[in-house]
Amino acid sequence: MGKSTKLYKIFVYVALITLAISIVIPIAWVFLASIKQNSEFYGDPWALPQGFYLQNFVEAFQKANMGLYMWNSVKVTVLALVILIVVALPAAYVLARFKFKGRGLLNTLFMMGLFINSNYIVVPIFLMLLDGDNALRKMIGHGFFIDNLFVLAVVYAATALPFTIYLLSNYFRTLSSSYEEAAYIDGAGFFKTLLVVMAPLAKPSIITVILFNFLSFWNEYIIALTLIPGPNKTLPVGLINLMAGQKAAANYGQLYAGLVIVMLPTLILYILVQKQLTQGMTVGGNKE
């Protein structure tokens, strides 16, 4: 029994190490390639850079507009997360802690939403917003819904509601009702109880949904490409344009610098909140 357990542990460690290597090596290669000069790419692709050529990042920000694209992504992602938490937190709390007519139907609808990929419904979303723009142009002379970063943030938040409400409501169900009873005795209302008592207790799950949705919003490409046809593009769309342009120019250092600009915020955020992420996923996945 002890021998089989030992072999199993060895197998698990080997599998985890192999997986880690398969992830770390490509990421490290991109980071090293981003500080190489263009001439270094024509030799051994695995050779270490001869120095730190940070001009690639300067050119990516200035010449390829990566700075503008990054700022647009920051605005859209932060705004979408704020809208999502403001809507999803009270909705999840009500579904988890209160009994009312239609509660089961709402839970079922949100569960169904988990199986809908937002990329599959991007065309109906675009057509609906385009019809709204055409109607506005007839009334006030200009549109609002297409090529608008705020509308893009609203669409992101709306498509993430099923997953967010599902995870938060399951977490709220694991919390003891004694906290709420104590708050009610002290004279707190439902809204104050949510903000002051329950939301801090649900912090691990909130951090989990923020991280997951941050990764989703930050890296999203299809919806942003469809709804933002103008110059105010987000970072993934701008990166694809940069990649298309640099294939002809053969400026690979600038291309990999753009890749690092996209990856770095997500890596930093994950490192900062990995413990809370694990706790939120473990507890929030429990069911009644």
Side-chain angles (χ1 to χ4, degrees):
M1 191 71 178
K3 189 174 181 180
S4 62
T5 303
K6 188 176 181 180
L7 289 174
Y8 175 74
K9 288 183 177 180
I10 292 174
F11 170 77
V12 170
Y13 285 134
V14 170
L16 291 175
I17 291 172
T18 304
L19 180 63
I21 291 174
S22 67
I23 296 174
V24 170
I25 289 180
I27 294 177
W29 193 89
V30 170
F31 273 88
L32 292 176
S34 68
I35 56 175
K36 287 183 177 181
Q37 296 193 45
N38 220 36
S39 58
E40 298 180 59
F41 288 94
Y42 298 101
D44 183 6
W46 297 102
L48 294 175
Q50 298 175 3
F52 292 89
Y53 190 67
L54 300 180
Q55 186 65 23
N56 290 329
F57 291 92
V58 176
E59 293 177 355
F61 270 99
Q62 294 179 349
K63 296 182 179 180
N65 286 331
M66 296 301 286
L68 173 63
Y69 299 151
M70 186 174 185
W71 175 236
N72 288 338
S73 285
V74 169
K75 290 191 292 186
V76 170
T77 302
V78 171
L79 183 58
L81 288 173
V82 170
I83 296 172
L84 179 63
I85 295 301
V86 168
V87 175
L89 189 63
Y93 177 66
V94 169
L95 287 174
R97 309 301 275 191
F98 297 93
K99 294 182 180 180
F100 54 91
K101 190 175 181 179
R103 176 192 179 197
L105 176 61
L106 286 175
N107 277 316
T108 302
L109 291 175
F110 283 119
M111 287 286 291
M112 292 171 60
L114 293 173
F115 301 98
I116 299 176
N117 191 318
S118 59
N119 292 331
Y120 299 156
I121 58 174
V122 65
V123 173
I125 291 174
F126 172 75
L127 294 176
M128 179 179 65
L129 296 178
L130 184 61
D131 288 341
D133 253 15
N134 292 334
L136 283 178
R137 287 192 181 96
K138 292 178 181 179
M139 291 187 292
I140 60 176
H142 60 83
F144 174 79
F145 299 105
I146 300 297
D147 207 13
N148 188 320
L149 294 178
F150 173 78
V151 175
L152 179 62
V154 172
V155 172
Y156 280 172
T159 55
L161 275 176
F163 166 75
T164 305
I165 291 177
Y166 172 76
L167 192 64
L168 288 176
S169 61
N170 279 337
Y171 195 97
F172 278 127
R173 292 188 182 103
T174 66
L175 300 177
S176 173
S177 60
S178 60
Y179 299 108
E180 294 159 294
E181 294 170 359
Y184 297 151
I185 292 173
D186 289 339
F190 295 127
F191 189 69
K192 185 176 181 180
T193 301
L194 170 62
L195 291 182
V196 178
V197 179
M198 304 305 289
L201 292 174
K203 182 181 176 181
S205 187
I206 294 174
I207 291 176
T208 299
V209 298
I210 287 176
L211 178 60
F212 269 84
N213 288 306
F214 174 87
L215 296 175
S216 176
F217 301 159
W218 185 263
N219 296 315
E220 201 284 321
Y221 172 74
I222 299 296
I223 299 177
L225 177 66
T226 305
L227 300 186
I228 309 292
N232 286 324
K233 303 184 184 301
T234 57
L235 197 54
V237 180
L239 179 62
I240 296 299
N241 292 344
L242 175 63
M243 291 175 66
Q246 296 312 319
K247 285 180 181 178
N251 195 344
Y252 299 111
Q254 190 179 126
L255 171 61
Y256 288 110
L259 289 172
V260 170
I261 292 171
V262 174
M263 290 192 304
L264 198 57
T266 58
L267 292 175
I268 293 174
L269 181 63
Y270 179 77
I271 291 172
L272 292 176
V273 300
Q274 57 180 326
K275 291 183 179 180
Q276 292 89 338
L277 172 65
T278 304
Q279 182 182 358
M281 287 300 293
T282 302
V283 181
N286 293 337
K287 300 179 70 176
E288 287 181 312

